[in-house]
Amino acid sequence: ISNGQGVRVSDERNIINCISTKVICDERMNKAHVFPSIALFGGMEYEKGNHTSHFSRGNHLDRDIERDGFGFLPATLEEVEAIDSIANSHSIKSYLYTGSNGTEAEFRSFSGKDVSIIHLATHGFYYNTTESVSGGYINLLGNDDSALNRCGLILADSQDSWKNGIDQYDNDNGILLGSEIANLDLLNTDLVVLAACNTGLGDISNEGISGLQQAFKRAGVHALLLSLKPISDDATKLFMIEFYNHLFAGEMLQTSYDAAINRLKSHPLYSDPDYWSSYVLLI
């Protein structure tokens, strides 16, 4: 939003998105927080050994879902490896899952465990109630058309499941639905970063937005970094590296987020709001 003279509201005002008004009184809002550990998922093989990329928009590679399967996202691998290096330089324990190792089972292993940050760089999806759900995973839904069954994240070895259908009793099919996330125990996780497309979207309800953000909040996560639309693979890598450079140096969540936004704003290739306005920090 611009003031009509080329100056954007976000350049003049410090805008903070809160899950509820009580967050304003939370002392964690006003000071830096120590993050002892991080779990990183990225550079995943959606089909074992397949590193073929699909271009979602012209010559741009997005982290969006694709009706005929999922292309490899090269910048997600560079992203998590860079963040892993930043974490190690600050003596932060890092768990790195790439290639065929970034499975749903590995993600689920952090339920009930003590990990400060979970970072997922991958494809994401959300379908509203009027859209037809593409892909075989509709076989899982049955009569339950809740919003949490229409949003999710794609992890390793998920290509066959997306195309051919999900066994509803299989907890390692690679398609992590919001309804599955909501049943995990992530009370010890301070921050989840969803570096994927459309992760902030959902159905509007009396409880707010029913989607991945609600799923992770139900699981107990304190803060979330989300996207509101398809995001560029390369621009997101740049954004996330800048974010963690500041966060692991001891800056506050909001300050680190602002620095990452400004990094894209000042970049000759990514200064257009289409690249940076999608990211939302929800505290």
Side-chain angles (χ1 to χ4, degrees), residues 201-231:
L201 302 183
D203 291 6
I204 306 300
S205 71
N206 292 334
E207 297 181 16
I209 299 177
S210 297
L212 285 172
Q213 63 170 273
Q214 184 186 74
F216 278 102
K217 283 293 183 179
R218 285 186 182 179
V221 174
H222 175 67
L224 292 159
L225 182 52
L226 311 157
S227 69
L228 299 176
K229 59 182 181 180
I231 54 176

Side-chain angles (χ1 to χ4, degrees), residues 90-150:
H90 290 280
S91 300
I92 294 169
K93 176 65 177 176
S94 178
Y95 307 89
L96 180 61
Y97 300 94
T98 62
S100 60
N101 295 319
T103 63
E104 184 177 348
E106 291 291 1
F107 176 84
R108 287 175 176 275
S109 72
F110 288 102
S111 181
K113 301 292 179 59
D114 191 2
V115 58
S116 305
I117 302 174
I118 299 176
H119 180 101
L120 295 119
T122 185
H123 294 282
F125 66 92
Y126 159 73
Y127 291 100
N128 65 34
T129 55
T130 61
E131 290 177 319
S132 60
V133 180
S134 171
Y137 101 90
I138 193 173
N139 296 335
L140 172 69
L141 302 181
N143 295 322
D144 185 359
D145 190 36
S146 70
L148 297 188
N149 272 336
R150 288 183 275 103

Side-chain angles (χ1 to χ4, degrees), residues 58-74:
N59 291 322
H60 297 285
L61 190 59
D62 288 342
R63 301 183 183 184
D64 203 358
I65 61 164
E66 299 159 21
R67 295 180 183 275
D68 58 346
F70 307 100
F72 182 72
L73 297 168

Side-chain angles (χ1 to χ4, degrees), residues 254-267:
Q254 186 67 37
T255 306
S256 302
Y257 164 80
D258 291 339
I261 291 288
N262 290 331
R263 178 72 178 93
L264 292 192
K265 283 183 177 180
S266 63
H267 195 282

